[in-house]
Amino acid sequence: MNEDETVEPATWLSDGAERAAATETLPERVADRYDRRERLGRGGTSEVWRVFDTQLERAVALKVLHHPAAGSSWERFEAEARVSAQLQHPGIVPVHDLGRLDDGRVWFTMKEVRGRTLGALIDEVHAEGGPFRRLLEGFLRVCEAVAFAHHEGLVHRDLKPSNIMFGDFGAVYVLDWGLAKHRSAGETAVEPADPGLTRDGTVSGTPLYMAPEQAQGRTAEVGPAADVYALGATLYHVLTGRPPRTGLPLGALLEAVATGSPIAPPSTHRTAAPTDPAIDAITLRALSHRPEDRYADAGALTSELAAWLDGARRRAAALEVVQAADRARDEAVRCRSEADVLWEAGSSALAAIAAWRPETDKAEAWAQQDAATDIRMEARRADVEADRLLHAALQIEPGLLEAHVRLVERARIEHAAAEAERAHGALRHEAALRMHASALPESHPVRRRANAYLDGRGTLHLVTNPPGATVTLERLGLRARRLVAVEEVYLGETPLHGVPLPMGTYVARLEHPDRDPVRYPVEIGREGVWDGIPPGASEPEPVWLPPRGFVPAGSVYVPAGWFRAGGGPPSLRQFPERRLWCPAFLIDRHPVTNAKLIEFLDDLVDQGREEDALRFAPRARGKGSRMNGDLIYARTPDGHFTLGVDSEGHAWEPDLPVVLVDRTCVAGYLAWRSARTGRAWRMPQALEYEKAVRGVDGRSYPWGEAFDASWCCMSDSHEGDRKPVSIERFPVDCSVYGVRGGAGNVLTWCEDAADAPLPEVRVVRVPPGPDDRIFVSRGGTWASSVDRSRCTTRSRLEDHRATTLGLRAALTVEPD
């Protein structure tokens, strides 16, 4: 038929069955060799019987026409027998014998095949869910059988699920070679009455699986590529449960096939089959409209499908390992949860037992904590096993996304923990995170999240009181191992909202024409937001800008906000690192000097309070039972105090920090200073002092993480005798707010009692207690080790005098 003609039903093969009703019975014996046993099945033109081969003593199948048809019917029937006999392949049913009955009907015998058609299996699997891998592996054997036929020069021309049989013991057969033709021979034309049946006419094949050149009747062009198309249509049916084109009448269907109307990828249909884009691509290439765009023959299709299936097998095996890793990870989570409960129970029990009680009273609580430790080890082992299994899965299938996704998430968690602890392992986890993220497609959401995490970009919101302050942002970076301003950028005027910034530490310089300039440090964590919202609030607390002249000379202003407190070596008696909110305050830039304390003492003398002046004056520590020794300062004839050389030969200079003062002296100085200035000066709190010298980013020293003895006054900073030095020495020992001497020279008295409860989220000022309590001091000294020079140093302190202990004043700020 021509390309533009309408297909009309012609003579249906099923009509012959009605005419052959009288001759459908098989004789009891055929060719004196085969004994009739039972009928196995019946079709439109033929039927199949089980017969017994008396010569070889075996049961075989005998296929016989319904009647002695003339023309194409018996020619096709006989061609099927001869073609099947010529194709010696495990996927093609072998033919044993060929002949005619006495009434003229043609028959042939072949191996009896037991099983189900591919079409029936497809319906079952898509209805109930099942072994898609078995279908796909069976389909691969179909492709291999057709590839063999193509190699032998034969084209099937009617491949479809109903012509494929899945037999016992994994056997797969390609049936019905009646339309097959040799590429050098003419064709037998067949035309179907139904889209699912074979047509007898000038168009050969089954329209639902027919190649466009077949649908257009271009007989000379029907070659191996036509079989490839039919295999593609069958594969489409396997993946989706339906042929590529359904629901069309015969004429419209043939036209759609002939014109190549678009076919949606198999994965667009809801199905439990694999939705790998690679199998979609294989299927759609086989279904290409133009023969030259398809695979050249079934062999080429077989090679690509086999490669995909090999990958699918590896993927399935690797996924089983991933599932084992998931089970191990679930076990780790369960163990950690159980350990937390046990540890908390043990800790609560110990807290309720007085420290002096004997160990027998504490044994049960200790046992709970020990059990928690053991279970945490089990959790760690389960995590290690999960990691091992995920890497084993990648050994099976290096590109397995599921394994890479899990390892990305694991590396991110480990990296965040190591980075929070400033551990060296952070770099190793970052490398693993980058490696596994790069194995994912660029559009994969886990890769995008990992890249965002690695980029670390966060957001700054900044509100001031009053608004309209100009903001110049200094980015801090390492220079000579210290954190210093390496770049400046003008951000505009406050309020600022949603300013994107790379992770890191910054100092915002806030300037307003009516206010004192303010230094406001900012830490942008990974994907973090710095917004100045206090604990328990939902809106930012504006950064208060003090009026002009509010901050006196010699003091610095520390704005309210979050900072990282604690951490560091346990020997420093500090608590684990936590993020705290600290209200605004003022603090002295330098420790109080000898010159300033003498001014205080002389004023007391001038007021007639010489006894108080002598009580508050620095003294050497007494010997034996004496708490106070000799005066450090000399006296002038008029009773004033002066600097000189003490009884031990030490020279005292005006700009040296005050030492050898007890809490009584500190309290007296602060009361005097408050009276003179009209402000309630006090000792700083320990956490206030830590923020003032440390900033907000949790650094170990005022200048960063590295240490050198030339940067502060500590035990290794002296060429000769170790001693306090001028407050102007060591300019590197300076915080982001401008507080000097935080890492060395002298300690600072703090008003906190050593047993005061530690805050959870907010620094709350606790008024000083009685003088007989044990208090704390902060900072490093001229005699400190490297560790004791850290910003987290916290010393328990009785009310005594020391050559390493001085004082600073602080002031609570109440923003207007």
Side-chain angles (χ1 to χ4, degrees):
M1 111 182 173
N2 296 326
E3 293 181 12
D4 57 352
E5 288 182 350
T6 302
V7 177
E8 296 291 338
T11 302
W12 308 125
L13 295 179
S14 58
D15 292 344
E18 298 176 3
R19 296 193 298 269
T23 58
E24 63 184 7
T25 302
L26 187 71
E28 290 188 5
R29 172 160 288 204
V30 178
D32 294 329
R33 177 176 178 178
Y34 303 102
D35 289 340
R36 185 185 72 194
R37 292 294 169 88
E38 60 180 311
R39 187 163 63 183
L40 300 175
R42 170 191 167 99
T45 61
S46 61
E47 57 190 13
V48 179
W49 291 78
R50 178 182 292 117
V51 297
F52 184 76
D53 184 345
T54 58
Q55 290 186 14
L56 297 178
E57 297 183 344
R58 63 179 179 178
V60 296
L62 183 146
K63 188 173 184 178
V64 61
L65 282 172
H66 288 315
H67 68 98
S72 62
S73 296
W74 75 266
E75 290 175 353
R76 172 189 167 184
F77 189 84
E78 186 173 331
E80 178 185 1
R82 296 186 185 280
V83 167
S84 298
Q86 294 168 14
L87 296 175
Q88 299 296 308
H89 187 274
I92 300 171
V93 180
V95 170
H96 305 311
D97 201 356
L98 175 67
R100 284 179 180 270
L101 297 178
D102 292 340
D103 58 11
R105 285 182 289 164
V106 182
W107 59 267
F108 62 85
T109 57
M110 56 187 170
K111 176 182 177 180
E112 180 183 350
V113 176
R114 297 175 180 269
R116 304 173 66 191
T117 67
L118 176 59
L121 290 174
I122 291 173
D123 292 342
E124 178 182 298
V125 167
H126 280 273
E128 304 174 5
F132 270 100
R133 188 187 304 177
R134 180 191 171 196
L135 290 186
L136 290 169
E137 290 178 346
F139 180 76
L140 176 65
R141 292 197 289 276
V142 171
C143 293
E144 291 170 345
V146 178
F148 174 75
H150 289 176
H151 180 268
E152 296 298 309
L154 289 163
V155 181
H156 188 287
R157 299 198 302 168
D158 197 20
L159 294 166
K160 54 188 175 182
S162 61
N163 280 344
I164 297 168
M165 178 72 74
F166 277 55
D168 295 334
F169 307 107
V172 180
Y173 301 100
V174 179
L175 310 177
D176 198 355
W177 292 84
L179 276 184
K181 75 164 187 175
H182 199 280
R183 276 177 270 179
S184 62
E187 84 164 322
T188 301
V190 181
E191 190 173 289
D194 180 272
L197 300 176
T198 305
R199 267 183 92 87
D200 188 80
T202 57
V203 175
S204 304
T206 302
L208 284 173
Y209 307 91
M210 183 186 294
E213 57 269 29
Q214 286 178 273
Q216 293 173 344
R218 304 199 307 264
T219 305
E221 300 178 24
V222 176
D227 280 351
V228 168
Y229 187 97
L231 289 170
T234 302
L235 177 57
Y236 195 101
H237 195 162
V238 168
L239 295 172
T240 67
R242 47 174 281 184
R245 296 182 177 91
T246 56
L248 297 174
L250 180 61
L253 175 61
L254 286 172
E255 183 177 358
V257 174
T259 59
S261 64
I263 298 173
S267 58
T268 59
H269 297 284
R270 292 187 179 276
T271 175
T275 56
D276 186 348
I279 193 65
D280 278 6
I282 292 172
T283 306
L284 294 179
R285 180 180 173 186
L287 288 169
S288 296
H289 181 67
R290 301 193 311 167
E292 59 269 27
D293 293 335
R294 301 173 209 148
Y295 298 98
D297 55 25
L301 172 60
T302 299
S303 297
E304 190 148 349
L305 184 61
W308 181 85
L309 273 172
D310 184 54
R313 293 186 194 101
R314 292 197 309 271
R315 172 180 167 77
L319 282 175
E320 290 181 2
V321 180
V322 169
Q323 290 169 0
D326 288 344
R327 291 192 292 273
R329 196 75 76 198
D330 290 343
E331 176 65 9
V333 171
R334 186 196 65 76
C335 287
R336 277 193 292 271
S337 178
E338 181 181 350
D340 290 344
V341 171
L342 277 171
W343 184 267
E344 181 60 29
S347 299
S348 298
L350 285 175
I353 301 173
W356 55 267
R357 299 294 301 174
E359 66 179 61
T360 53
D361 292 358
K362 304 166 187 174
E364 184 177 351
W366 287 351
Q368 288 178 307
Q369 289 187 331
D370 291 345
T373 300
D374 292 341
I375 294 172
R376 283 190 180 127
M377 286 301 298
E378 288 296 323
R380 183 58 184 164
R381 280 191 284 269
D383 275 328
V384 170
E385 176 64 6
D387 292 342
R388 185 193 68 78
L389 288 168
L390 290 174
H391 285 96
L394 291 177
Q395 291 293 319
I396 299 170
E397 181 54 54
L400 190 68
L401 297 186
E402 289 82 353
H404 284 296
V405 164
R406 286 160 173 79
L407 287 168
V408 164
E409 295 297 339
R410 178 67 178 168
R412 186 187 61 79
I413 292 171
E414 294 283 354
H415 178 268
E419 191 173 59
E421 297 172 1
R422 292 178 171 83
H424 294 298
L427 291 175
R428 174 170 55 85
H429 297 305
E430 179 180 342
L433 179 56
R434 291 185 184 279
M435 178 182 70
H436 293 295
S438 65
L440 301 174
E442 290 187 4
S443 60
H444 198 288
V446 172
R447 177 170 179 170
R448 291 201 301 267
R449 287 198 301 271
N451 288 339
Y453 172 83
L454 289 167
D455 178 64
R457 191 168 294 272
T459 307
L460 169 66
H461 302 273
L462 185 54
V463 182
T464 61
N465 175 20
T470 61
V471 182
T472 303
L473 197 67
E474 300 175 354
R475 183 174 67 84
L476 304 187
L478 287 176
R479 293 290 185 273
R481 300 188 177 185
R482 303 195 305 271
L483 284 171
V484 297
V486 295
E487 182 182 9
E488 286 190 2
V489 59
Y490 175 71
L491 296 184
E493 294 186 355
T494 58
L496 298 175
H497 297 287
V499 179
L501 291 174
M503 65 175 296
T505 301
Y506 302 83
V507 175
R509 298 203 313 267
L510 310 179
E511 297 176 298
H512 190 282
D514 302 324
R515 303 285 170 145
D516 279 343
V518 172
R519 290 181 65 79
Y520 181 70
V522 170
E523 182 186 26
I524 301 296
R526 286 190 182 274
E527 304 177 283
V529 176
W530 186 276
D531 52 20
I533 298 177
S538 59
E539 297 294 331
E541 178 176 309
V543 178
W544 183 65
L545 308 179
R548 286 286 182 187
F550 179 88
V551 181
S555 297
V556 299
Y557 170 57
V558 180
W562 293 100
F563 75 108
R564 280 202 271 164
S571 61
L572 300 183
R573 297 191 178 93
Q574 186 58 286
F575 52 88
E577 183 176 283
R578 67 184 63 167
R579 197 163 177 256
L580 300 176
W581 177 273
C582 184
F585 62 97
L586 298 182
I587 190 169
D588 287 347
R589 184 182 304 275
H590 297 285
V592 174
T593 62
N594 288 324
K596 288 187 176 180
L597 195 70
I598 286 178
E599 181 185 357
F600 155 58
L601 298 175
D602 285 349
D603 189 56
L604 293 182
V605 171
D606 292 341
Q607 295 178 36
R609 298 172 57 190
E610 183 175 5
E611 184 177 345
D612 286 339
L614 290 173
R615 182 160 56 95
F616 296 149
R619 293 176 180 271
R621 296 198 64 177
K623 297 180 180 180
S625 61
R626 294 175 58 213
M627 293 298 297
N628 295 323
D630 297 333
L631 285 174
I632 298 303
Y633 300 153
R635 303 292 299 277
T636 63
D638 60 1
H640 289 161
F641 292 82
T642 186
L643 298 172
V645 178
D646 63 18
S647 60
E648 297 183 6
H650 296 133
W652 296 88
E653 303 293 336
D655 61 350
L656 293 183
V658 168
V659 294
L660 294 169
V661 288
D662 58 12
R663 281 178 54 80
T664 301
C665 174
V666 174
Y669 170 79
L670 293 172
W672 171 81
R673 182 167 166 178
S674 298
R676 285 184 57 129
T677 62
R679 294 183 175 185
W681 292 96
R682 56 178 173 81
M683 283 185 283
Q685 287 183 269
L687 289 170
E688 285 179 330
Y689 186 81
E690 181 176 339
K691 181 179 181 182
V693 301
R694 193 181 196 186
V696 301
D697 58 3
R699 61 185 65 184
S700 296
Y701 305 99
W703 54 82
E705 290 300 319
F707 185 87
D708 188 83
S710 67
W711 294 343
C712 68
C713 182
M714 46 86 66
S715 61
D716 297 330
S717 303
H718 309 271
E719 183 177 4
D721 293 339
R722 294 183 300 171
K723 59 184 179 180
V725 298
S726 166
I727 59 172
E728 298 297 340
R729 290 276 304 275
F730 298 100
V732 171
D733 189 359
C734 182
S735 76
V736 291
Y737 299 106
V739 176
R740 299 279 296 274
N745 218 1
V746 294
L747 297 170
T748 295
W749 270 103
C750 295
E751 68 180 20
D752 309 66
D755 58 354
L758 296 172
E760 291 298 324
V761 291
R762 187 191 290 270
V763 175
V764 179
R765 183 165 179 257
V766 179
D771 288 348
D772 59 350
R773 298 176 68 182
I774 297 176
F775 289 82
V776 297
S777 63
R778 298 301 295 261
T781 77
W782 52 268
S784 293
S785 64
V786 173
D787 275 348
R788 301 295 295 181
S789 296
R790 291 174 181 266
C791 297
T792 53
T793 301
R794 182 173 183 266
S795 304
R796 294 169 59 88
L797 190 65
E798 297 184 30
D799 190 8
H800 66 258
R801 303 171 187 265
T803 57
T804 57
L805 180 59
L807 71 122
R808 295 180 197 248
L811 180 72
T812 302
V813 170
E814 299 292 343
D816 56 18

